[in-house]
Amino acid sequence: MKANNIRLALAYDGSCYHGWQRQKNAITIQGTIEEKIEMMTGDPVRLIGSGRTDAGVHAVKQVCNFMTHSTIAPEAIREGLNALLPEDIFVREADYVPLEFHARYGARSKTYVYKILNRREPDIFRRHFLWHVRVPLDPREMSLCLAQLKGTHDFSCFRSSGSGNIDPVRRILRSELCDSADGSMDVILEADGFLRHMVRNVVGTLVEVGMGKIGVDGFSEILASRDRRLAGMKAPAHGLYLADVSY
Amino acid sequence: MKANNIRLALAYDGSCYHGWQRQKNAITIQGTIEEKIEMMTGDPVRLIGSGRTDAGVHAVKQVCNFMTHSTIAPEAIREGLNALLPEDIFVREADYVPLEFHARYGARSKTYVYKILNRREPDIFRRHFLWHVRVPLDPREMSLCLAQLKGTHDFSCFRSSGSGNIDPVRRILRSELCDSADGSMDVILEADGFLRHMVRNVVGTLVEVGMGKIGVDGFSEILASRDRRLAGMKAPAHGLYLADVSY
């Protein structure tokens, strides 16, 4: 029987999930979608994501793929999954891809957006979707630090423990601070890969820069130190979005 | 003992509440806030809202007041309540008002905003905060109908039953369709008062206009008929916001 390789592009609100990766006794994005694909195709399936997202982290565009013997057309899979899935997961796109397409190994870069609401009053309607920082932040200082991240660096200082012995060198293709149309201050990071909690550790340190606790030179020293203990706090999960994956 | 009259301006996400009004066996906005005020002042309190909001309806600015013998300053009440209240209710303002101020009887007009997302793809991050209408709507036709509502009319056709025998005549001061910066299509209605479910019944009918099911002339006939059976569907609660109250 001929196998098909189907690529999905997903959006999800990660608030109610224990992250992307399937776990035995916890509800995860991967596990939830696999279950619905199995309901549709009748066969066990293994969904390959471009990477994991942590508990509470959202996705505007997560890319994944799965092999199936089912002949259900991608558009019908998209519609069917959207009918079956809870309303906090949405399949934006579904299409056939070549058999060799692999959502994780094929990814050239990933873009994360971290949304900060920097004002006195919270936005109760978006309390699960951005990090509310009441203290006024200096965007100029933060941008100067972000600019330092561009290029290839050893990011050990921004890596949380528990990520194993993998190479801590990553190449940052884009690192910017943007004023979003919806009123938030967005940190945008595109890289060929990310270490564990890297974006949240960068953003937490940047916020300390914005508060004046760490200077631009201090930030350079942290990056050069490769020492996690020197960097700032870890930003909370709920401001973080996987925004795009390039192949 | 001298009594103080304290005015509060509130924002709330109505998703998890059985509306504004206190009920015996249900969690409501009024009941939740009264409980926290009582915790702070030690005395029973009666919170007077500018009006009720239904289950699932939100507020960007609801105004209310309460009498108290407590001498806690309004700013401390604001900070204290925000520390005690769940994160889906926020006290934006608190101040002393004259003893004769009454949030309900003193209200000259109220403004409601109804947010419609009119595109194919849902916005999963705002699924509790706007009405997703996939079918393309014609904003020109909808605006023409909205314009007809301005002025003084008998709104019996847009009143849900169960509102008692009250006078169905209301004066609409503002009725507009706006493109919001956040991508939604907003119906804005300001009036000296609203009948039960009036905004939701107007918006549901307007959406049928936008779909081409009801024409501009048909809309005029519905308004003139004073017959609820002729109007369109009732829009869901979760797109509706009490946006302002004028005194």
Side-chain angles (χ1 to χ4, degrees), chain A residues 11-13 58-60 75 78-79 87-90 92 120-122 124-125 127-129 134 241, chain B residues 11-13 58-60 75 78-79 87-90 92 120-122 124-125 127-129 134 241:
Chain A
Y12 49 79
D13 167 359
H58 315 295
V60 173
E75 182 54 26
R78 198 186 80 89
E79 295 283 336
E87 57 177 5
D88 50 8
I89 302 178
F90 182 71
R92 302 180 61 177
R120 190 149 182 276
E121 208 173 280
I124 53 164
F125 305 111
R127 63 193 185 280
H128 301 304
F129 302 112
R134 290 173 62 133
Y241 299 71
Chain B
Y12 49 79
D13 167 359
H58 315 295
V60 173
E75 182 54 26
R78 198 186 80 88
E79 295 284 336
E87 58 176 5
D88 49 9
I89 302 178
F90 182 72
R92 301 180 61 176
R120 191 150 183 275
E121 208 173 280
I124 52 164
F125 305 111
R127 65 192 185 278
H128 301 305
F129 303 111
R134 290 174 63 132
Y241 299 72

Side-chain angles (χ1 to χ4, degrees), chain A residues 14-226:
Chain A
S15 307
C16 298
Y17 295 90
H18 285 77
W20 168 265
Q21 195 175 38
R22 193 186 332 94
Q23 290 176 42
K24 275 232 164 69
N25 296 307
I27 295 173
T28 67
I29 312 277
Q30 183 189 23
T32 302
I33 300 173
E34 285 179 346
E35 181 196 306
K36 303 306 180 190
I37 296 173
E38 288 170 4
M39 281 173 70
M40 288 187 73
T41 64
D43 287 316
V45 75
R46 182 57 34 107
L47 195 62
I48 300 161
S50 73
R52 305 170 192 178
T53 51
D54 291 325
V57 173
H58 315 295
V60 173
K61 188 176 178 183
Q62 162 75 292
V63 176
C64 54
N65 72 296
F66 64 97
M67 298 286 178
T68 178
H69 291 292
S70 162
T71 55
I72 307 174
E75 182 54 26
I77 286 180
R78 198 186 80 89
E79 295 283 336
L81 283 178
N82 283 333
L84 292 170
L85 283 166
E87 57 177 5
D88 50 8
I89 302 178
F90 182 71
V91 181
R92 302 180 61 177
E93 303 164 14
D95 38 45
Y96 288 127
V97 281
L99 287 177
E100 62 273 19
F101 177 87
H102 189 285
R104 183 163 161 222
Y105 300 140
R108 281 195 305 119
S109 75
K110 279 189 274 190
T111 304
Y112 279 95
V113 173
Y114 195 100
K115 294 177 92 67
I116 299 166
L117 182 69
N118 186 34
R119 65 179 199 195
R120 190 149 182 276
E121 208 173 280
D123 180 343
I124 53 164
F125 305 111
R126 296 193 288 162
R127 63 193 185 280
H128 301 304
F129 302 112
L130 29 75
W131 184 21
H132 179 215
V133 177
R134 290 173 62 133
V135 186
L137 301 175
D138 181 337
R140 219 187 109 269
E141 294 285 301
M142 293 167 73
S143 293
L144 289 172
C145 293
L146 263 175
Q148 296 180 24
L149 298 181
K150 240 180 144 177
T152 304
H153 303 277
D154 178 327
F155 285 100
S156 297
C157 69
F158 294 121
R159 160 157 89 167
S160 289
S161 57
S163 45
N165 241 341
I166 53 165
D167 179 14
V169 175
R170 291 291 180 277
R171 192 159 73 98
I172 305 273
L173 305 162
R174 188 178 168 202
S175 61
E176 286 172 21
L177 194 68
C178 294
D179 285 326
S180 168
D182 61 17
S184 64
M185 178 191 266
D186 295 356
V187 177
I188 302 171
L189 283 173
E190 180 182 359
D192 58 1
F194 290 89
L195 304 169
R196 190 170 141 95
H197 297 164
M198 179 170 149
V199 183
R200 292 164 61 189
N201 288 330
V202 166
V203 170
T205 307
L206 271 183
V207 163
E208 295 194 29
V209 168
M211 289 172 170
K213 289 187 189 172
I214 298 173
V216 176
D217 290 346
F219 189 86
S220 314
E221 285 162 23
I222 290 167
L223 180 58
S225 75
R226 292 178 279 171

